[in-house]
């Protein structure tokens, strides 16, 4: 079915401690598409990612569906099993837990056979260049670019339906941005929708999104094709 939404968000309102951060956000992502979300710091991009993934301590109203199933009523582990994963803006280090064994266990918890997982892990490691740190503890002692590649590696190996990538390009030099962009391209496919949150448009030089949404003060204020990112960048250059 063409254009079937993998993620559908309607009138999402989110508050923390009585302060409203998301103020009625709508977002629809069809299977097979990459949607970039751009916006200034503080516009609510990470809050959107955290609320969809299921972080607690937010006051949430509105609706969201993951491949047709109501998302906001699910616990965080149910959301992961249902096929939603997030790459974090600030990846956490998990000393003592090896990256490969973590992904293997996560895959098995999601019902994949160990032999299938082994294949997926080695294919994903090759696709995103994660081989050198597969045996190391998660993100422990990795460079900024390696941490971002590690995040994407987990997602490529586990093949969720929706991947939310929160500023995977921030804090990286040009070469690392290109590597991370290549990893995002490896993730792209007909069975996944990708939410690519970015503060800068430079990753979009390497990953052409299907749609671009501009967030401002807790709402999507503009949506368009990839050219919208260029227009924003031009606008910023003149400020
Ligand atoms: P972005 O990712 O677009 O930079 P965030 O979602 O991180 O924006 O933050 C949006 C706004 O919400 C900011 O003003 C931030 O200070 C506020 N905010 C986010 N999380 C919390 C929290 N847990 N408690 C209080 N304020 C928060
Ligand atoms: Mg953020």
């Amino acid at each position: 079915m063409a254009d079937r939404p993998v993620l559908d968000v309607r009138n999402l309102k989110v508050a923390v401690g009585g302060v409203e951060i998301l103020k009625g956000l709508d977002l629809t992502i069809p299977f097979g598409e990459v949607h970039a979300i751009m916006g200034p710091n503080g516009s609510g991009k990470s809050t959107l990612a955290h609320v969809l993934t299921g972080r607690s301590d937010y006051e949430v109203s509105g609706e969201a569906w993951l491949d047709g199933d109501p998302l906001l009523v699910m616990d965080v582990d149910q959301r992961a099993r249902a096929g939603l994963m997030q790459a974090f803006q600030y990846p956490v280090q998990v000393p003592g837990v090896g990256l490969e064994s973590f992904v293997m266990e996560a895959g098995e918890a999601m019902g994949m056979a160990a032999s299938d997982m082994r294949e997926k892990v080695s294919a994903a490691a090759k696709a995103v260049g994660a081989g050198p740190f597969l045996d190391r503890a998660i993100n422990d002692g990795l460079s900024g670019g390696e941490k971002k590649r590690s995040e994407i590696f987990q997602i490529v190996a586990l093949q969720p339906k929706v991947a939310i990538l929160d500023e995977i390009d921030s804090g990286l030099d040009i070469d690392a941005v290109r590597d991370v962009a290549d990893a995002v391209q490896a993730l792209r496919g007909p069975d996944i929708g990708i939410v690519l949150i970015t503060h800068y448009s430079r990753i979009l030089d390497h990953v052409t999104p299907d749609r671009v949404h501009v967030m401002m003060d807790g709402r999507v204020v503009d949506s368009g094709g990839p050219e919208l990112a260029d227009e924003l960048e031009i606008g910023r250059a003149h400020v």
Side-chain angles (χ1 to χ4, degrees):
M1 225 192 320
D3 292 327
R4 184 159 66 99
V6 65
L7 180 69
D8 207 356
V9 178
R10 297 271 173 83
N11 197 25
L12 184 67
K13 294 182 180 171
V14 175
V16 182
V19 179
E20 200 167 44
I21 298 171
L22 299 185
K23 302 174 179 173
L25 183 139
D26 297 301
L27 184 67
T28 302
I29 303 193
F31 273 99
E33 294 197 359
V34 176
H35 287 211
I37 297 186
M38 303 184 69
N41 275 331
S43 53
K45 305 180 299 295
S46 291
T47 301
L48 171 66
H50 295 321
V51 164
L52 293 176
T53 307
R55 195 165 114 178
S56 56
D57 48 77
Y58 293 109
E59 299 132 57
V60 180
S61 73
E63 290 171 295
W65 293 269
L66 175 63
D67 194 13
D69 291 325
L71 181 68
L72 299 177
V73 295
M74 294 184 206
D75 291 334
V76 65
D77 64 305
Q78 290 175 313
R79 297 181 198 208
R81 280 177 225 272
L84 185 134
M85 287 184 68
Q86 178 182 354
F88 292 98
Q89 181 171 358
Y90 303 107
V92 290
Q93 303 190 11
V94 192
V97 180
L99 177 61
E100 181 171 15
S101 52
F102 168 73
V103 170
M104 286 291 296
E105 281 204 29
E108 287 173 49
M110 291 165 80
M112 297 180 210
S115 53
D116 288 350
M117 266 321 290
R118 216 161 283 125
E119 263 173 44
K120 285 179 180 154
V121 163
S122 65
K126 197 177 282 178
V128 311
F133 41 88
L134 273 187
D135 291 332
R136 298 189 28 202
I138 296 170
N139 291 327
D140 200 13
L142 300 189
S143 72
E146 287 171 338
K147 281 183 188 169
K148 303 291 173 128
R149 288 218 307 275
S150 169
E151 293 283 293
I152 296 182
F153 157 73
Q154 296 168 42
I155 293 175
V156 174
L158 292 167
Q159 300 182 327
K161 290 177 183 170
V162 170
I164 303 173
L165 311 178
D166 191 2
E167 296 211 21
I168 39 158
D169 51 339
S170 290
L172 304 184
D173 63 30
I174 300 232
D175 288 338
V177 169
R178 196 173 303 124
D179 287 348
V180 166
D182 288 345
V184 175
Q185 291 291 22
L187 187 60
R188 236 173 162 158
D191 302 320
I192 188 170
I194 299 175
V195 183
L196 185 61
I197 296 173
T198 178
H199 182 66
Y200 307 99
S201 61
R202 46 184 201 163
I203 193 170
L204 305 180
D205 293 339
H206 309 287
V207 179
T208 305
D210 296 284
R211 301 278 296 165
V212 174
H213 308 282
V214 181
M215 255 182 93
M216 209 77 88
D217 194 23
R219 287 189 187 90
V220 172
V221 295
D222 201 3
S223 295
E227 69 287 348
L228 185 54
D230 300 330
E231 290 164 22
L232 288 175
E233 200 63 7
I234 292 163
R236 190 175 290 160
H238 289 272
V239 171

